């Protein structure tokens, strides 16, 4: 079948259109179907190819976006970290938007404290207590935990628990003192500010880890003990003194905070942690 391109007249054969007389070059329906079939397949495949390409692009875009968000988050925290390391008093001005950064800070403090404890004690006292335990066993049922690198995870996890409890005692004591002093302070804001004040001591913990790893055990032990006492006892007292600016007894409240923290530590140690072979009195 031939179709005239001028008037669309159909005829069986001939070089000129029987209707309008114009020269024609037609194709048969069979040829047309064969010609169009590949095009139809092509059109059918193209949407699938486009969909696959779009999906891959979305996956790559999502991965890149996640990496960018992680980089931005780390960059923001590093800026926050450096700023508070240079001027810790800015911690007293932090609000709810810094909650995540404060959680990261106190988590790093507890982790580095635990690592510092392990490296320091393993260097200075591991050999001594290891020999005593070999000769006498665990004295009084108390496990000192200085049994070498094989107990690394056991000791570090144990000290993470102890550090978290010690922080909880200090924070809880702050809440009690502010309640007694009738100071209206958002507990979340207090947590953010107290946690962020750990940043300078976090750096000291890193120094302790390095000293312990270098076998400078006695110096590392002294520095670690000072870090614990300063942050978990002295800083809360100073925080109370700072917040109670107009209170006539703020000195007593500050001293009372340190006393309360020490008292709760003793009670927790004697009633709970000693049964587990732990102690919040690290040194």
């Amino acid at each position: 079948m031939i179709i005239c391109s001028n008037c669309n007249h159909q005829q069986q054969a001939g070089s000129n259109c029987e209707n309008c007389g114009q020269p024609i070059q037609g194709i048969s329906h069979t040829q047309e179907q064969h010609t169009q079939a590949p095009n139809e397949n092509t059109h059918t495949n193209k949407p699938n190819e486009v969909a696959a390409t779009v999906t891959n692009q979305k996956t790559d875009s999502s991965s890149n976006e996640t990496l960018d968000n992680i980089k931005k988050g780390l960059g923001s925290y590093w800026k926050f970290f450096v700023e508070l390391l240079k001027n810790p008093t800015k911690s007293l001005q932090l609000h709810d938007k810094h909650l995540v950064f404060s959680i990261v800070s106190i988590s790093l403090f507890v982790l580095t404290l635990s690592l510092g404890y392990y490296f320091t004690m393993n260097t200075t006292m591991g050999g001594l207590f290891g020999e005593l335990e070999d000769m006498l066993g665990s004295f009084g049922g108390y496990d000192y935990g200085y049994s070498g690198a094989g107990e690394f995870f056991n000791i570090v996890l144990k000290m993470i628990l102890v550090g978290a409890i010690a922080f909880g005692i200090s924070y809880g004591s702050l809440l009690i003192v502010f309640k007694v002093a009738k100071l209206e302070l958002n507990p979340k804001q207090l947590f953010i500010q107290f946690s962020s004040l750990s940043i300078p001591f976090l750096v000291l913990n890193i120094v302790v880890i390095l000293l312990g790893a270098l076998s400078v055990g006695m110096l590392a032990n002294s520095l670690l003990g000072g870090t614990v006492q300063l942050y978990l006892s002295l800083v809360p007292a100073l925080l109370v003194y700072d917040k109670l600016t107009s209170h006539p007894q703020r000195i007593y409240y500050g001293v009372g905070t340190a006393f309360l923290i020490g008292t709760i530590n003793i009670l927790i140690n004697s009633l709970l942690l000693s049964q587990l072979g732990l102690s919040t009195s690290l040194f």
Side-chain angles (χ1 to χ4, degrees):
M1 182 70 67
I2 301 174
I3 302 173
C4 176
S5 60
N6 183 45
C7 65
N8 293 325
H9 173 71
Q10 299 181 5
Q11 61 190 56
Q12 294 296 329
S15 59
N16 294 324
C17 178
E18 296 174 349
N19 183 47
C20 66
Q22 295 291 326
I24 58 175
Q25 292 180 354
I27 58 174
S28 66
H29 285 300
T30 305
Q31 291 173 331
E32 183 179 2
Q33 291 174 355
H34 284 298
T35 304
Q36 291 178 350
N39 292 333
E40 291 176 357
N41 292 334
T42 301
H43 289 301
T44 302
N45 292 332
K46 280 184 178 180
N48 295 331
E49 293 176 359
V50 171
T53 302
V54 171
T55 301
N56 292 334
Q57 289 176 346
K58 286 183 177 180
T59 302
D60 294 340
S61 177
S62 177
S63 300
N64 292 335
E65 185 177 355
T66 301
L67 290 176
D68 289 340
N69 290 335
I70 292 175
K71 290 179 181 179
K72 289 180 181 178
L74 291 175
S76 298
Y77 179 74
W78 177 251
K79 183 178 179 181
F80 170 85
F81 182 93
V82 172
E83 185 176 4
L84 293 188
L85 181 62
K86 292 179 179 179
N87 188 359
T89 55
K90 288 186 177 181
S91 298
L92 305 177
Q93 303 169 358
L94 300 180
H95 299 284
D96 291 2
K97 69 177 183 179
H98 299 101
L99 177 61
V100 174
F101 286 170
S102 65
I103 292 174
V104 172
S105 297
I106 192 58
S107 299
L108 290 175
F109 172 82
V110 172
L111 177 61
T112 54
L113 178 69
S114 303
L115 292 173
Y117 174 86
Y118 171 79
F119 283 110
T120 300
M121 296 300 104
N122 191 56
T123 298
T124 59
M125 306 183 75
L128 173 61
F129 281 107
E131 293 176 3
L132 288 176
E133 289 180 358
D134 288 341
M135 292 186 294
L136 304 176
S138 181
F139 181 72
Y142 188 85
D143 180 11
Y144 290 93
Y146 311 132
S147 51
E151 295 293 326
F152 173 79
F153 289 106
N154 180 43
I155 296 173
V156 170
L157 291 176
K158 184 184 294 186
M159 295 313 302
I160 287 175
L161 175 61
V162 169
I165 293 174
F167 173 80
I169 291 173
S170 297
Y171 174 65
S173 299
L174 283 171
L175 292 176
I176 293 172
V177 170
F178 284 130
K179 187 70 174 179
V180 173
K182 298 180 180 180
L183 177 67
E184 295 184 2
L185 187 64
N186 187 335
K188 182 190 292 187
Q189 183 177 342
L190 177 62
F191 173 84
I192 291 170
Q193 294 179 0
F194 182 44
S195 299
S196 299
L197 283 168
S198 67
I199 287 179
F201 304 97
L202 192 163
V203 175
L204 290 178
N205 288 341
I206 295 175
V207 174
V208 169
I209 293 173
L210 295 175
L211 291 175
L214 294 173
S215 300
V216 190
M218 297 306 295
L219 177 59
N221 186 45
S222 299
L223 185 58
L224 188 61
T227 298
V228 171
Q229 297 302 322
L230 287 173
Y231 176 62
L232 296 177
S233 184
L234 180 60
V235 168
L238 294 176
L239 187 57
V240 168
Y241 183 83
D242 177 79
K243 295 298 182 182
L244 299 177
T245 52
S246 59
H247 203 292
Q249 282 83 38
R250 62 176 179 164
I251 292 180
Y252 292 116
Y253 278 108
V255 174
T257 301
F259 178 78
L260 179 62
I261 291 172
T263 301
I264 295 177
N265 267 310
I266 293 173
L267 293 175
I268 293 295
N269 287 334
S270 60
L271 297 178
L272 176 62
L273 298 184
S274 62
Q275 305 301 320
L276 303 175
L278 304 174
S279 174
T280 56
S281 300
L282 301 180
F283 310 98

